[in-house]
Amino acid sequence: MSCNVTSLEAHWDQLVDEEWDLLLIQEARTDPTSWVWKDCARRGWYALQGNPSEEGTTLVAAVSKNGEIGQGQELEGTPPGCTQLFAWYAGGPCTWMIANCYAPADGSAQSKLIASTMIKEAMAHAETRRHAPALVAGDFQYSLQELPAAWAATCSSWNDIGEPAPTSDRAIEPRRIDLMIANEAMQSRLLSHELRSVSYTHLTLPTKRI
């Protein structure tokens, strides 16, 4: 499950009750020592925070109810604390590569380039192990078609597995700016997915069959 929460502490109780194996969070806006991370440890869930942002808060994070998360790193050429790249192992024959991203929301030409860089850098990492499932998810502030990275994604057979549904039904013009872009290996393993509104993008992973 991937979602922009605007405040993780405000929405944590709701997220806990959702059905997910791996939760990708954007705009967590928590202190690195927040009670949320202590609650994850109490529940036996593995939480991986991204590097602190320029303001010193956590913007991107991942939580695993099932499976193990490897050590994270940032994508090159992206703002501090706005991306995390890591391996997720939920059983079965392979490890999944996951990129969790939060692009700047100022609407500038530079922010569009940064969003594209996030996608292209993540895809480049995945190409080194192209037979392993890979997912690039997050809030990119633009639809995939609006980004220069769309051409590279199409040429490499990466697809947004949630299209065409919008990720927010509160916008005057509903748009899909929260993306879940999967490579061919992941698409072939995908059993089902569904979307919810308000920047919530759900992906149900068959962890017992990966």
Side-chain angles (χ1 to χ4, degrees), residues 46-208:
Y46 189 91
L48 177 68
Q49 298 183 65
N51 290 342
S53 67
E54 293 178 344
E55 292 76 29
T57 60
T58 296
L59 288 178
V60 293
V63 180
S64 178
K65 285 184 182 179
N66 301 300
E68 300 177 2
I69 297 178
Q71 185 175 358
Q73 66 182 81
E74 289 191 319
L75 295 170
E76 295 181 11
T78 61
C82 290
T83 61
Q84 56 180 175
L85 178 75
F86 60 89
W88 178 53
Y89 181 70
C94 59
T95 299
W96 299 58
M97 192 218 78
I98 308 291
N100 184 22
C101 308
Y102 174 63
D106 58 17
S108 66
Q110 180 66 17
S111 68
K112 183 178 287 190
L113 290 176
I114 290 173
S116 279
T117 297
M118 291 175 173
I119 294 172
K120 290 192 286 187
E121 284 292 320
M123 290 193 302
H125 276 277
E127 284 300 304
T128 62
R129 298 173 62 247
R130 64 173 54 191
H131 297 297
L135 175 71
V136 184
D139 185 350
F140 295 91
Q141 314 298 342
Y142 299 91
S143 67
L144 182 57
Q145 291 74 22
E146 294 176 288
L147 296 173
W151 184 83
T154 300
C155 290
S156 302
S157 299
W158 287 68
N159 290 305
D160 180 5
I161 56 178
E163 284 189 323
T167 53
S168 177
D169 60 5
R170 295 185 179 181
I172 296 175
E173 295 182 6
R175 300 170 64 207
R176 181 169 178 78
I177 61 175
D178 303 87
L179 310 176
M180 300 188 87
I181 310 169
N183 68 352
E184 285 188 294
M186 180 167 181
Q187 293 173 52
S188 68
R189 289 166 172 80
L190 183 65
L191 293 187
S192 66
H193 62 276
E194 62 179 15
L195 298 178
R196 289 189 179 180
S197 61
V198 201
S199 298
Y200 276 56
T201 304
H202 280 231
L203 175 66
T204 301
L205 296 174
T207 55
K208 294 182 180 179

Side-chain angles (χ1 to χ4, degrees), residues 7-71:
S7 170
L8 181 58
E9 292 182 348
H11 299 288
W12 179 243
D13 288 343
Q14 178 185 352
L15 292 170
V16 165
D17 292 335
E18 295 284 349
E19 185 178 347
W20 47 268
D21 296 305
L22 179 67
L23 173 64
L24 303 178
I25 303 159
Q26 304 91 45
E27 280 202 276
R29 300 199 180 279
T30 60
D31 184 273
T33 59
S34 169
W35 60 265
V36 169
W37 313 121
K38 296 175 183 176
D39 189 49
C40 288
R42 180 182 64 82
R43 296 172 183 272
W45 300 347
Y46 189 91
L48 177 68
Q49 298 183 65
N51 290 342
S53 67
E54 293 178 344
E55 292 76 29
T57 60
T58 296
L59 288 178
V60 293
V63 180
S64 178
K65 285 184 182 179
N66 301 300
E68 300 177 2
I69 297 178
Q71 185 175 358

